[in-house]
Amino acid sequence: MSINKKNILLGVTGGIAAYKAPDLVRKLVALGANVRVVLTKSALEFVSPLALQAVSGHPVSDDLLDKDAEAAMGHIELAKWADILLIAPATANFLAKLTHGLADDLLSTLCLATASPIVVAPAMNQQMWHALATQHNLAVLQQRNIRFLGPAAGEQACGDVGLGRMLEPQDIANSLDEVMPQQVLQGKKVLITAGPTQEAIDPVRYISNHSSGKMGYALAKAAKAMGAEVILVSGPTNLKPPANVTTLPVTSAAQMHQQVMAQVSTCDIFIACAAVADYRPAQITQQKIKKNDQELTLTFVKNPDILSDVAHLQHPPFTLGFAAETQNIREYALSKMTRKKLNMIAANDVSDSRIGFNSEQNALTVFWPEGEVNLAIADKQQLSMQLLQLVSEQLKP
Ligand code: C5P
């Protein structure tokens, strides 16, 4: 996988190494990348926006509140456009801002607004690099899966010698290839369920489950980025359908079941991420139920288990299920994997509020018949990549 045809948003912060930014842009463009550049105010002291505009072929942005730039491509749009956000050089000050999630200028705002990998190439005086505060920030950022390229050791602009030089532009450009998602699902067709289902009680009421759909949508985007053809069967969510993914909206479990069964025969992988309602009202009343009585009794009937039905097909695809548990996670996940005849199960502890429903983050313990692995808390997009990497390793050749 290379950065050929990929969108790279280059953030340049205010260190002396910023003078190498135009050369870095040229190296990235030479590898086939589309590059857009964002500068911090202090970077403007070290490098000319005009030079960066000339080599990237795009206007350069430096202001969050620039009306013209926002009209052309707003900052959220820019954050979504990027396949990678590369910050080079990244000063000690910028690393500190990134650690604390500040959003007081365009570049720091973009860092918060992107779901794509963030890569930083630090550049600073060796003493500043070794400072406890910087090293603490480094540890926090690495834990958040932010990738560091360098710094290199050598002579510094200030005359000191040591760690803190920005890596050479060619080395940065070459290293970005490793950060790009590997195309391990090339040629595979992936079917994913996401979101909750809604089971009608009467014309105005339904029962449902907590589910934002974020994990399933993140998986769909990740599978697409890893080369797969993706079909997303989604219950009602507030999320935008992912680009270049066939999204089939459904409401009830019965509809989700029907759509999945209609699509699954051509698919290589089925990922059941939806929080499907286990039961539905036995009858949907034609008219709104009036609240005349102190009690209301409804009878429910069991919904089909979509995942189990797929796994029990004569020629099932590779099946990955989810187990949202509040206790005995390992035991419940393993028994679910056996009972439903799955190839893999990803379990999460929904009692942990950091990773619960509607959260941007998740942590998973993944089990398959021959192994298991813990995927530490991370952004759902990053976690999806790791999970799909595991799936690809378990696929039969
Ligand atoms: O049995 P339980 O609901 O805990 O299993 C969870 C897994 O099964 C999830 O992957 C979920 O998407 C899937 N499932 C399904 N159809 C159902 C119930 C659960 O596909 N009716």
Side-chain angles (χ1 to χ4, degrees), residues 6 14 105 163 193 216 250 265 312:
K6 295 294 167 190
D105 63 6
L163 270 179
T193 64
V250 295
S265 63
H312 284 85

Side-chain angles (χ1 to χ4, degrees), residues 200-222:
I201 296 170
D202 68 15
V204 295
R205 303 184 183 92
Y206 60 81
I207 62 156
S208 190
N209 283 331
H210 284 300
S211 170
S212 63
K214 284 177 186 166
M215 189 70 212
Y217 278 57
L219 277 163
K221 280 187 222 160

Side-chain angles (χ1 to χ4, degrees), residues 149 167-176:
L149 302 177
L167 282 194
E168 289 307 322
Q170 189 66 64
D171 295 334
I172 294 176
N174 292 343
S175 306
L176 279 192

Side-chain angles (χ1 to χ4, degrees), residues 77-376:
E77 217 180 318
L78 195 55
K80 289 194 170 136
W81 171 87
D83 293 310
I84 292 186
L85 208 168
L86 167 66
I87 299 153
T91 59
N93 179 57
F94 195 79
L95 294 184
K97 284 173 63 166
L98 196 55
T99 306
H100 290 282
L102 267 67
D104 61 351
D105 63 6
L106 179 58
L107 184 57
S108 53
T109 304
L110 290 167
C111 290
L112 286 186
T114 190
S116 298
I118 299 178
V119 182
V120 293
M124 67 196 72
N125 164 269
Q126 56 85 24
Q127 193 67 49
M128 291 171 78
W129 174 253
H130 289 297
L132 282 180
T134 305
Q135 290 300 308
H136 175 76
N137 293 340
L138 166 71
V140 173
L141 293 172
Q142 280 177 327
Q143 221 187 6
R144 269 187 227 153
N145 283 324
I146 290 181
R147 292 282 300 267
F148 279 73
L149 302 177
E155 195 172 329
Q156 306 202 295
C158 54
D160 278 10
V161 176
L163 270 179
R165 284 173 59 90
M166 187 174 85
L167 282 194
E168 289 307 322
Q170 189 66 64
D171 295 334
I172 294 176
N174 292 343
S175 306
L176 279 192
D177 277 1
E178 295 161 28
V179 179
M180 283 309 294
Q182 302 294 304
Q183 299 292 285
V184 288
L185 297 177
Q186 187 82 49
K188 302 289 177 203
K189 195 165 168 186
V190 183
L191 180 62
I192 301 173
T193 64
T197 65
Q198 292 177 355
E199 311 299 327
I201 296 170
D202 68 15
V204 295
R205 303 184 183 92
Y206 60 81
I207 62 156
S208 190
N209 283 331
H210 284 300
S211 170
S212 63
K214 284 177 186 166
M215 189 70 212
Y217 278 57
L219 277 163
K221 280 187 222 160
K224 184 73 212 162
M226 294 165 102
E229 181 186 343
V230 185
I231 302 178
L232 178 65
V233 179
S234 174
T237 72
N238 292 320
L239 305 174
K240 210 169 123 193
N244 304 316
V245 163
T246 305
T247 305
L248 305 172
V250 295
T251 305
S252 66
Q255 290 169 354
M256 187 175 272
H257 185 263
Q258 193 189 17
Q259 268 299 8
V260 166
M261 290 305 167
Q263 303 292 338
V264 75
S265 63
T266 57
C267 294
D268 304 287
I269 300 166
F270 176 60
I271 304 178
C273 197
V276 183
D278 292 318
Y279 295 88
R280 66 178 183 277
Q283 264 143 19
I284 306 172
T285 64
Q286 293 304 308
Q287 305 301 330
K288 183 179 171 190
I289 300 172
K290 291 297 187 191
K291 51 177 184 289
N292 298 332
D293 301 322
Q294 284 307 317
E295 286 182 2
L296 173 69
T297 306
L298 294 171
T299 306
F300 288 88
V301 293
K302 205 157 191 182
N303 271 327
D305 189 316
I306 305 168
L307 176 57
S308 181
D309 284 359
V310 169
H312 284 85
L313 287 170
Q314 202 179 356
H315 300 290
F318 182 95
T319 48
L320 165 61
F322 277 76
E325 305 292 353
T326 52
Q327 57 176 346
N328 302 338
I329 293 175
R330 184 191 165 82
E331 187 192 327
Y332 288 157
L334 286 174
S335 76
K336 204 166 286 184
M337 181 165 72
T338 313
R339 184 164 31 90
K340 299 199 187 197
K341 235 175 121 203
L342 308 180
N343 297 102
M344 188 178 267
I345 193 151
N348 62 336
D349 181 353
V350 285
S351 66
D352 182 340
S353 59
R354 293 172 308 157
I355 58 173
F357 301 111
N358 208 23
S359 153
E360 297 301 328
Q361 298 189 319
N362 204 352
L364 298 168
T365 310
V366 187
F367 302 91
W368 60 99
E370 300 81 28
E372 66 179 80
V373 74
N374 276 318
L375 301 180

